[in-house]
Amino acid sequence: MSLFCPFLKKYNTYSICGLLFTAALSVSSQAQPSGKPNGSSSFQTNLFNLEASANEPFRYSATLKNGSGQAKIYALDAKIPTGWLVSFRTLGSPVTSIHLEPGATQEVSVEFTANPYSKPGKYAIPVTAVSPVDTLKLNLEAVLKGAYKIELTTPSGRLSENVTEGSVEQIVCTIKNTGTLPLADVELTAQTPPKWQVTFEPAKVERIDPSGSIEVTAKVHVPDKTIAGDYVSTFTAKTPNANADAAFRITVKTSLLSGWLGILVILLAIGLIFRLIRKYGRR
């Protein structure tokens, strides 16, 4: 104590505290490695919940940060529902992994494409960026609104018919709901050659559930004296949310009576010419 007293007299208490603080800063600066960034690695986005229909992509913008003191390669992956697709892009190019220097960040675009037959609802999709030493997680949500889709065809899929001029041909059509939302107020119309007429039974369908179908009969009336050949008639199934067209090739043939009448006219013409030749050929 007697030896320490002269030291205390030479330096007051505040001076001693200052010396000790300076020494602590010196030790701390020596313990902190130079060139290594502060902070932690992260995989973040400001907008993690998006809503879209089945025929629209879900696009998220995320930021990947390497907060460590060494360069890393992060492999990108996502656990998507069955039938969905995922893609990652940086600077507009598709990627599956990203190389980041210490302290660097990179903007990453994450895009999901839903299965067109997925049911409407909320889907939680975890996205990961995995390096050899750590795993960064990003939890995204996709709210699927569903989609309106309609298809117009025939039970056999054949879109051609043979008809006789002056007759009425019945064509059975199938309307399918290939979307994930119900179809309501389905109306049927037809675009035909001039003077043709088409009626549908029923002409309007109130509702078709997803994956459901209904058959409608189209009655095609071909006018008399229609020239034989191929004609195109377009049938349309229309709803407030979706439309579908089907182009039918209709081959018109002349009736048997018309054929016999044509042959009779030809024979009469030949007979008349032969008679004229015999009558005036003697003069």
Side-chain angles (χ1 to χ4, degrees), residues 9 23 36 52 54 68 94 100 106 120-122 146 158 178 185 192 201 207 216 229 234 247 262 264 266 269 272:
K9 291 179 180 179
K36 293 188 177 181
S68 69
L100 288 180
Q106 180 65 60
K122 181 186 292 186
R158 186 168 62 95
T178 56
D185 299 328
T192 62
E201 293 183 1
R207 179 185 174 95
V216 175
T234 302
L264 181 59
I266 293 173
L272 180 60

Side-chain angles (χ1 to χ4, degrees), residues 58 60 76-88 110-115 118 122-128 138-142:
F58 295 86
Y60 305 82
L76 304 173
D77 194 14
K79 293 184 178 180
I80 55 178
T82 303
W84 288 44
L85 299 176
V86 60
S87 64
F88 301 95
V110 185
E111 181 175 314
F112 301 130
T113 302
N115 184 341
S118 297
K122 181 186 292 186
Y123 293 83
I125 305 177
V127 180
T128 56
L138 178 64
N139 295 318
L140 301 178
E141 290 183 354

Side-chain angles (χ1 to χ4, degrees), residues 92-156:
S93 300
V95 297
T96 57
S97 61
I98 298 176
H99 179 272
L100 288 180
E101 295 295 331
T105 61
Q106 180 65 60
E107 296 296 321
V108 182
S109 174
V110 185
E111 181 175 314
F112 301 130
T113 302
N115 184 341
Y117 300 102
S118 297
K119 295 182 179 180
K122 181 186 292 186
Y123 293 83
I125 305 177
V127 180
T128 56
V130 182
S131 76
V133 295
D134 61 350
T135 298
L136 306 179
K137 295 183 180 180
L138 178 64
N139 295 318
L140 301 178
E141 290 183 354
V143 180
L144 188 61
K145 296 189 296 184
Y148 295 99
K149 289 187 178 181
I150 187 173
E151 181 182 351
L152 180 60
T153 182
T154 62
S156 64

